[in-house]
């Protein structure tokens, strides 16, 4: 298994650039296709893709197929990790060869969002239907511990010092809204809508912060004293103070005329939120209304909405904070937004059902290896 031939051709065309320290690559998980596209952020082009379901396993679940839910990349840019959605596992791939290094079943209906610790030693991944976040050893895939989370754990993030992991939950969507949050916490799970705060080493839970609605994509402020979040069933973004434990600001976002519940899935009206490194701009994927919104932070004021493809479902920003990458799930496209220019500067053909995006720098030698493949 290897990145498709288009990558080799692109690398040959850019051989001079390949002599540098590497490139910033956006890894876009294509849920339905079971692949991960590699987008050259500066070059504004798709280099190729990696097949992360080489067995072509098919699983029947509600909604559209999902064989590539989330991705992470090792700090050295040589290993790709993928939580494989409906396959209920996590797999690691060598980026130079595309070869699977290991695969770890999580014994869950759906392996959901995932994050890697700053030192690259551990992954934290949500077992959606189990109210658990597992810790995995990145070298072997071995499960080294677990954290009891809120109901239907979703996103995971780790503090900059690597000592704290945060897990957010969205509640059991099979339970009616009016009854969902009435379930009391137990030893098996916390509240329906909860931010679970735990120690990455001991896995001891330090806090369980209850929210009023399901916590969708979110981003920590640079000072790590608060966060910005999208919530289930809302056309909005909120600012949350972790010390006061309350929402301090809310921005209602525009709704395109004619929008109905058919324009989103799984209560995720807005799904995709990325904060620039300086903490001054939030790039939001407006899934129901087909736009990317740039929002000024910390004021939470709308700067502009930018039309993109159909059902933008994730956003991420480049390391320099100048480009926002948006995955358009239903139109199978990737939009590149210039934050300074406040406009879409490229729209690229993606894989089948693009979702989560991870941006990482990959060594030139790792990418160039594919130009030598037969």
């Amino acid at each position: 298994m290897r990145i498709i031939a288009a990558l080799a051709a692109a690398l040959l065309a850019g051989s001079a650039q390949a002599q540098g320290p590497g490139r910033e690559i956006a890894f876009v998980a294509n849920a339905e296709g079971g692949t991960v596209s590699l987008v050259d952020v500066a070059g504004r082009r798709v280099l190729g893709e990696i097949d992360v379901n080489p067995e072509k396993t098919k699983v029947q679940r509600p909604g559209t197929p999902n064989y590539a839910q989330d991705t992470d990349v090792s700090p050295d840019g040589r290993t790709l990790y993928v939580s494989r959605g409906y396959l209920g596992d996590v797999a690691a791939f060598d980026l130079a060869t595309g070869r699977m290094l290991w695969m770890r079943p999580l014994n869950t209906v759906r392996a959901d969002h995932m994050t890697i610790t700053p030192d690259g030693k551990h992954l934290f991944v949500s077992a959606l239907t189990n109210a658990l976040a597992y810790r995995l050893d990145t070298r072997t895939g071995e499960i080294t511990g677990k954290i009891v989370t809120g109901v239907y754990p979703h996103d995971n993030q780790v503090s900059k010092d690597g000592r704290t992991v945060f897990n957010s939950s969205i509640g059991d969507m099979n339970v009616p809204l009016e009854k969902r949050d009435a379930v009391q916490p137990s030893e098996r799970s916390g509240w329906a809508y909860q931010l679970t705060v735990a120690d990455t080493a001991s896995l001891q839970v330090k806090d369980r912060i209850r929210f009023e609605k399901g916590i969708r994509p979110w981003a920590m402020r640079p000072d790590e004293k608060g966060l910005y979040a999208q919530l289930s069933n809302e056309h909005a973004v909120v600012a949350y103070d972790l010390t006061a434990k309350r929402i301090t600001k809310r921005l209602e976002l525009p709704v395109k005329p004619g929008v109905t519940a058919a324009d989103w899935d799984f209560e995720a009206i807005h799904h995709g939120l990325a904060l620039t490194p300086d903490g001054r701009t939030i790039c939001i994927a407006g899934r129901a209304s087909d736009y990317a919104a740039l929002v000024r932070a910390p004021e939470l004021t709308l700067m502009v909405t930018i039309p993109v493809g159909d059902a933008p479902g994730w956003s991420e920003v480049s390391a320099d904070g100048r480009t926002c990458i948006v995955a358009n799930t239903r139109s199978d496209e990737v939009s590149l937004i210039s934050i300074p220019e406040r406009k879409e500067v490229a729209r690229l053909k993606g894989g089948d059902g693009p979702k989560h995006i991870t941006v990482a720098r990959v060594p030139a030698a790792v990418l160039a290896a594919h130009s030598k493949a037969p």
Side-chain angles (χ1 to χ4, degrees):
M1 179 180 55
R2 60 181 182 271
I3 299 176
I4 59 174
L7 175 56
L11 287 165
L12 287 171
S15 58
Q17 185 179 357
Q19 303 306 312
R23 301 190 214 179
E24 190 172 47
I25 302 296
F27 294 83
V28 183
N30 301 306
E32 296 178 53
T35 63
V36 173
S37 296
L38 279 72
V39 177
D40 183 337
V41 177
R44 299 177 182 176
R45 57 180 175 170
V46 178
L47 299 182
E49 63 183 26
I50 296 176
D51 184 358
V52 297
N53 182 18
E55 307 93 339
K56 306 304 178 190
T57 304
K58 301 295 183 183
V59 179
Q60 295 298 317
R61 296 275 189 262
T64 54
N66 185 339
Y67 304 114
Q69 169 67 29
D70 201 343
T71 58
D72 274 298
V73 177
S74 60
D76 64 5
R78 296 178 181 276
T79 306
L80 172 68
Y81 307 99
V82 184
S83 61
R84 302 198 299 173
Y86 287 176
L87 299 183
D89 61 26
V90 177
F93 298 85
D94 182 275
L95 272 173
T97 63
R99 179 175 60 90
M100 184 185 289
L101 302 174
W102 53 256
M103 182 273 291
R104 179 62 55 189
L106 301 182
N107 300 314
T108 184
V109 169
R110 174 166 163 166
D112 211 68
H113 288 289
M114 176 177 68
T115 194
I116 191 168
T117 53
D119 61 10
K121 293 181 179 180
H122 304 286
L123 293 165
F124 284 90
V125 57
S126 292
L128 185 76
T129 55
N130 299 38
L132 293 171
Y134 288 107
R135 184 180 65 189
L136 276 63
D137 185 313
T138 56
R139 297 171 302 168
T140 64
E142 178 186 0
I143 296 174
T144 59
K146 61 186 179 182
I147 299 166
V148 176
T149 65
V151 180
Y152 275 33
H154 196 46
D155 204 3
N156 294 278
Q157 295 189 33
V158 175
S159 59
K160 288 183 284 189
D161 64 10
R163 296 180 179 179
T164 305
V165 59
F166 301 85
N167 176 277
S168 55
S169 65
I170 57 177
D172 187 345
M173 288 176 287
N174 296 306
V175 176
L177 278 171
E178 64 274 13
K179 298 180 180 179
R180 191 178 303 171
D181 199 31
V183 179
Q184 296 293 312
S186 68
E187 292 183 359
R188 299 185 63 182
S189 72
W191 295 103
Y193 313 133
Q194 176 177 294
L195 184 69
T196 306
V197 185
D199 184 275
T200 57
S202 68
L203 301 182
Q204 179 179 352
V205 173
K206 299 189 288 187
D207 204 355
R208 297 184 186 277
I209 302 173
R210 191 178 182 184
F211 272 62
E212 62 182 25
K213 293 189 176 182
I215 309 166
R216 292 298 176 166
W218 60 276
M220 191 73 75
R221 284 182 354 206
D223 62 8
E224 299 190 329
K225 294 180 180 179
L227 56 88
Y228 304 104
Q230 295 162 313
L231 302 177
S232 295
N233 296 310
E234 287 202 4
H235 297 272
V237 59
V238 301
Y240 189 90
D241 187 304
L242 288 170
T243 301
K245 295 184 179 179
R246 64 184 180 89
I247 291 174
T248 56
K249 292 183 181 179
R250 181 189 302 270
L251 172 65
E252 300 296 331
L253 289 162
V255 183
K256 186 171 68 174
V259 164
T260 70
D263 293 301
W264 66 86
D265 300 308
F266 301 115
E267 303 178 2
I269 295 176
H270 276 243
H271 200 274
L273 184 153
L275 182 65
T276 54
D278 62 8
R280 297 176 62 182
T281 305
I282 309 169
C283 182
I284 292 172
R287 187 176 188 182
S289 297
D290 303 330
Y291 62 64
L294 298 182
V295 172
R296 186 177 291 105
E299 298 87 353
L300 279 198
T301 56
L302 179 63
M303 293 189 284
V304 66
T305 59
I306 302 164
V308 291
D310 192 357
W314 199 263
S315 61
E316 190 53 82
V317 295
S318 58
D320 63 8
R322 297 179 62 84
T323 304
C324 179
I325 306 101
V326 175
N328 302 312
T329 303
R330 291 182 180 173
S331 57
D332 297 338
E333 298 166 324
V334 178
S335 291
L336 300 182
I337 306 295
S338 169
I339 294 175
E341 297 176 79
R342 300 186 183 184
K343 68 179 184 179
E344 182 184 51
V345 291
R347 190 178 301 185
L348 310 174
K349 182 63 179 175
D352 190 359
K355 280 183 175 284
H356 186 274
I357 303 167
T358 295
V359 176
R361 188 159 290 278
V362 178
V366 173
L367 295 175
H370 297 276
S371 67
K372 302 174 184 178

